[in-house]
């Protein structure tokens, strides 16, 4: 057991003797006094606290190592989560000269009060660094950066005074950008510790599923931590203590993405950013939804297992996954069991998960011939917002008739739910307007949603029914891209 967290900070090896549940933001500002990293909202929304987190990444084809950097929100990131990794703050970007992103921001008048500027520089550096990694031959890195990539990179950064035009213009001027961090080989020298404990807070980092399940059995009350984007908000906002944490981030089996001839399977600790890269080829509509999931910072930390484990009625992953026929794998030392995802959710925030179990993976079938899948997120803002209603539709047609249908909603009940009668209304039909009307009527009859500040019950019902028609028109190729959807 160790009492220190070892990592690289702006390229230098660092040891921190703090409780592992201290937020990285608090430590940066109060320990080494790196005050360029700001606190705005303290709940993952504004991006003022953004830092880059680096991990060694090996290209399967070339076995060449490189460090892969992604922006993350340090206000909801615990110090235990950076053990064995690299952290780069805005102070670490400038060498003798301004970093190319800083130079472009300065030349372009992209800052006024400057409060948001360090976070924006970090997010744009994360994007530019992916171009450099692409140059090194790493898969899933961007060779070319489009305006849409720039908007995605900035979706988690709030600027109240400059306006985004000059910031986007600065981003367009930046080409590749390297980060002065450790070389990949240096990571071997600070191998992550299995257990870190300081001042009454213990952070376990098992590396295999078996070790995880053993710990889960011995410590059923310990917090299971995926990326911490749900749990970290409570840590930062309500100053809850994490006295015993089991982190899933280093469990090999939970980090794996597997592909067979007809299925895709994601380990529970796979992040949404990684799922985005894996799914875009098969389900572009799901990929569009994921690009609207929080921000780049949230997607680089948040995991699919956490999205399911938190069992929120308004989580975005479950409706899409349920409509795709997802199966969830629950693992304990007694064995593995597999459930249809819709059967995992029992009631508001109540699930099938037993005290000694973890979510190990979720798998979905690959698309089959004649399948049409769309998922729609209705929220008050396009980016970085929670769904008022999330609706997912999947049909398979054979010889002009709907052979099977799966429809699922979020935001309409205490749990993410399938709509069986709405599905039946489509099955056997030629997918015409009459069938879609019957489907919409069944949706309205099934659900009794709540009214809250995001939308009234009537609004939710109307939207959910309208989305059935939107799906029909989308499949017919009638609709145009609407930013609000
Ligand atoms: C600013 C912001 C924006 C967000 N935007 C969205 C959004 O657009 N759409 C959306 O759906 N969500 C959103 N979220 C919520 C959150 O990011 C997601 O739910 C995310 O997928 C949670 O994953 P995590 O790994 O961070 O979960 P964690 O916070 O680590 O865990 C969440 C819960 O799941 C449990 N858990 C985690 N992994 C497992 C496992 N393998 N087995 C069993 N239990 C497990 C934990 O114990 C905990 O109870 C947002 C959050 C923030 C802060
Ligand atoms: S302080 Fe706002 S995202 Fe962290
Ligand atoms: S420059 Fe003031 S908030 Fe962005």
């Amino acid at each position: 057991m160790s009492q220190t967290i070892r990592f690289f900070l702006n390229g230098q090896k660092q040891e921190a003797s703090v409780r592992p549940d201290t937020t990285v933001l608090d430590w940066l500002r109060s320990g080494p006094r790196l005050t360029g990293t700001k606190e705005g909202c303290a709940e993952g929304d504004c991006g003022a606290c953004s830092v880059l987190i680096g991990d060694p990444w090996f290209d399967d084809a070339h076995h060449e190592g490189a460090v892969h950097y992604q922006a993350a929100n340090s206000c909801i990131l615990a110090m235990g989560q950076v053990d064995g990794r690299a952290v780069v703050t805005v102070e670490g970007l400038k060498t003798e000269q301004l970093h190319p992103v800083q130079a472009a921001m300065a030349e372009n008048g992209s800052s006024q009060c400057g409060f948001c500027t360090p976070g924006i520089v970090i997010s744009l550096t994360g994007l530019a660094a992916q171009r450099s990694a692409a140059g090194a031959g790493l898969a899933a890195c961007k060779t070319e950066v489009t305006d849409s990539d720039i908007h995605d990179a900035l979706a988690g950064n709030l600027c109240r005074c400059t306006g985004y035009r000059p910031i986007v213009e600065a981003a367009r001027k930046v080409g590749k950008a390297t980060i002065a961090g450790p070389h990949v080989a240096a990571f071997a020298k600070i191998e992550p510790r299995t257990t870190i404990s300081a001042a009454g807070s213990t952070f376990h980092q098992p590396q295999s599923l078996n070790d995880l399940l053993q710990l889960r059995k011995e410590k059923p009350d310990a917090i299971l931590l995926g990326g911490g984007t749900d749990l970290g908000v409570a840590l930062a906002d309500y100053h809850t203590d994490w006295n015993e944490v089991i982190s899933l981030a280093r469990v090999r089996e939970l980090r794996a993405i597997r592909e067979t001839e007809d299925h895709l399977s994601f380990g529970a600790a796979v992040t949404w950013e990684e799922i985005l890269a894996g799914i875009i080829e098969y389900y572009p509509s799901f990929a569009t939804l994921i690009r609207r999931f929080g921000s780049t910072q949230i997607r680089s930390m948040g995991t699919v297992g956490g999205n399911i484990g938190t069992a929120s009625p308004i989580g975005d992953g479950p409706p899409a996954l349920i409509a795709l026929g997802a199966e969830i794998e629950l693992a304990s030392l007694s064995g593995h069991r597999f459930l249809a995802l819709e059967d995992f959710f029992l009631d508001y925030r109540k699930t099938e998960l037993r005290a000694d179990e973890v979510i190990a993976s979720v798998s979905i079938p690959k698309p089959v011939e004649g399948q049409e899948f769309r998922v729609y997120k209705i929220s008050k803002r396009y980016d970085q917002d929670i769904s008022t209603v999330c609706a997912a539709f999947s049909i398979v047609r054979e010889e002009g008739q709907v052979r099977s249908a799966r429809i699922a909603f979020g935001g309409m009940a205490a749990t993410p739910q399938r709509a069986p009668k709405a599905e039946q209304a489509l099955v056997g039909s030629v997918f015409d307007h009459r069938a879609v009307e019957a489907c919409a009527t069944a949706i309205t009859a099934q659900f009794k949603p709540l009214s809250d500040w995001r939308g009234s019950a009537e609004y939710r019902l109307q939207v959910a029914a309208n989305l059935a028609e939107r799906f029909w028109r989308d499949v017919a190729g009638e609709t145009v891209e609407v930013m609000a959807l």
Side-chain angles (χ1 to χ4, degrees):
M1 191 177 301
S2 163
Q3 294 189 321
T4 58
I5 296 155
R6 296 184 306 167
F7 61 107
F8 293 99
L9 176 64
N10 295 332
Q12 302 300 315
K13 203 169 140 194
Q14 187 81 35
E15 298 212 10
S17 305
V18 283
R19 277 179 66 103
D21 64 348
T22 310
T23 68
V24 172
L25 176 65
D26 282 349
W27 182 79
L28 284 172
R29 292 182 61 87
S30 60
R33 302 204 65 75
L34 293 173
T35 51
T37 309
K38 309 292 183 201
E39 176 169 329
C41 63
E43 55 183 28
D45 267 315
C46 74
C49 66
S50 300
V51 295
L52 290 166
I53 301 293
D55 291 297
W57 195 8
F58 294 90
D59 179 26
D60 286 348
H62 304 92
H63 303 286
E64 282 170 8
V67 183
H68 181 245
Y69 289 97
Q70 294 204 76
N73 298 119
S74 65
C75 66
I76 55 171
L77 189 66
M79 285 295 286
Q81 290 178 273
V82 300
D83 184 61
R85 306 172 86 184
V87 177
V88 179
T89 68
V90 71
E91 291 87 352
L93 296 181
K94 186 173 168 293
T95 48
E96 269 137 45
Q97 293 167 337
L98 286 180
H99 185 272
V101 175
Q102 291 171 316
M105 291 278 288
E107 281 157 21
N108 223 59
S110 311
S111 173
Q112 287 187 45
C113 80
F115 191 80
C116 70
T117 309
I120 285 182
V121 165
I122 286 286
S123 291
L124 293 180
T125 305
L127 180 64
Q130 287 195 22
R131 298 184 78 170
S132 311
L138 287 184
C141 287
K142 297 182 187 313
T143 43
E144 229 175 82
V145 169
T146 63
D147 273 7
S148 158
D149 295 325
I150 294 171
H151 292 144
D152 276 351
L154 291 172
N157 291 84
L158 189 68
C159 175
R160 293 181 177 209
C161 41
T162 306
Y164 289 88
R165 186 187 49 75
I167 298 172
V168 171
E169 277 173 12
R172 287 191 193 121
K173 289 181 185 160
V174 182
K176 296 177 189 176
T178 48
I179 295 167
H183 189 264
V184 69
F187 282 81
K189 297 187 189 138
I190 54 159
E191 256 195 52
R193 322 261 200 189
T194 320
T195 303
I196 306 158
S197 191
S201 172
T202 303
F203 194 89
H204 302 276
Q205 304 196 81
Q207 308 219 357
S208 72
L209 183 58
N210 202 50
D211 289 353
L212 165 67
L213 297 179
Q214 191 66 48
L215 271 170
R216 179 76 167 142
K217 184 162 184 199
E218 287 164 14
K219 302 173 189 300
D221 294 330
I223 292 171
L224 272 186
L225 181 71
T229 58
D230 276 313
L231 290 169
V233 174
L235 178 71
D237 254 5
Y238 314 119
H239 303 286
T240 50
D241 287 337
W242 290 352
N243 291 335
E244 186 132 49
V245 171
I246 305 173
S247 166
L248 310 176
R250 295 195 177 271
V251 179
R252 283 182 303 276
E253 294 88 337
L254 267 52
R255 297 279 307 125
I257 299 182
R258 295 200 177 81
E259 186 168 352
T260 63
E261 207 177 309
D262 47 14
H263 275 80
L264 286 171
S265 157
F266 301 102
V270 172
T271 67
W272 284 107
E273 201 63 15
E274 290 161 341
I275 292 182
L276 175 60
I279 215 150
I280 195 159
E281 171 188 355
Y282 298 106
Y283 294 110
S285 175
F286 197 175
T288 303
L289 175 82
I290 298 173
R291 287 181 95 153
R292 295 183 55 198
F293 191 114
S295 57
T296 305
Q297 289 92 324
I298 293 294
R299 292 193 298 271
S300 74
M301 297 161 64
T303 65
V304 62
N307 198 232
I308 295 170
T310 199
S312 164
I314 45 174
D316 286 329
L321 291 165
I322 291 171
L324 287 172
E327 188 176 70
I328 186 173
E329 177 190 5
L330 305 178
S332 71
L333 282 183
S334 322
H336 295 238
R337 57 190 182 118
F338 296 84
L339 299 178
L341 181 55
E342 58 268 34
D343 297 335
F344 178 70
F345 303 105
L346 301 178
D347 203 342
Y348 180 70
R349 305 266 186 188
K350 288 211 175 79
T351 70
E352 263 286 339
L353 195 73
R354 295 180 191 143
D356 63 343
E357 279 181 326
V358 301
I359 303 167
S361 70
V362 58
S363 65
I364 50 171
K366 286 185 180 171
V368 295
E369 201 167 333
Q371 182 170 359
E372 295 284 357
F373 170 78
R374 300 286 190 285
V375 53
Y376 306 103
K377 171 170 176 167
I378 306 297
S379 53
K380 286 187 178 269
R381 285 179 309 198
Y382 186 82
D383 280 315
Q384 181 74 315
D385 203 359
I386 291 168
S387 288
T388 307
V389 174
C390 184
F393 300 83
S394 177
I395 55 167
V396 178
R397 282 185 295 183
E398 255 174 27
E399 295 170 3
Q401 274 201 340
V402 178
R403 178 166 58 80
S404 63
R406 292 181 67 94
I407 301 175
F409 286 95
M412 296 291 287
T415 60
Q417 271 188 20
R418 262 181 96 172
K421 292 213 166 118
E423 293 169 358
Q424 282 158 24
L426 298 183
V427 175
S429 78
V430 290
F431 199 44
D432 56 359
H433 196 243
R434 188 200 293 240
V436 172
E437 267 181 2
C439 172
T441 306
I443 291 168
T444 320
Q446 175 179 338
F447 291 102
K448 294 192 174 33
L450 287 178
S451 292
D452 61 15
W453 64 269
R454 282 191 197 96
S456 64
E458 297 72 33
Y459 171 78
R460 285 189 158 100
L461 281 173
Q462 184 72 63
V463 162
N466 287 355
L467 286 173
E469 177 160 347
R470 161 90 201 232
F471 172 58
W472 175 60
R473 292 190 184 278
D474 265 350
V475 169
E478 280 181 27
T479 42
V480 286
E481 182 64 22
V482 182
M483 271 302 279
L485 279 178

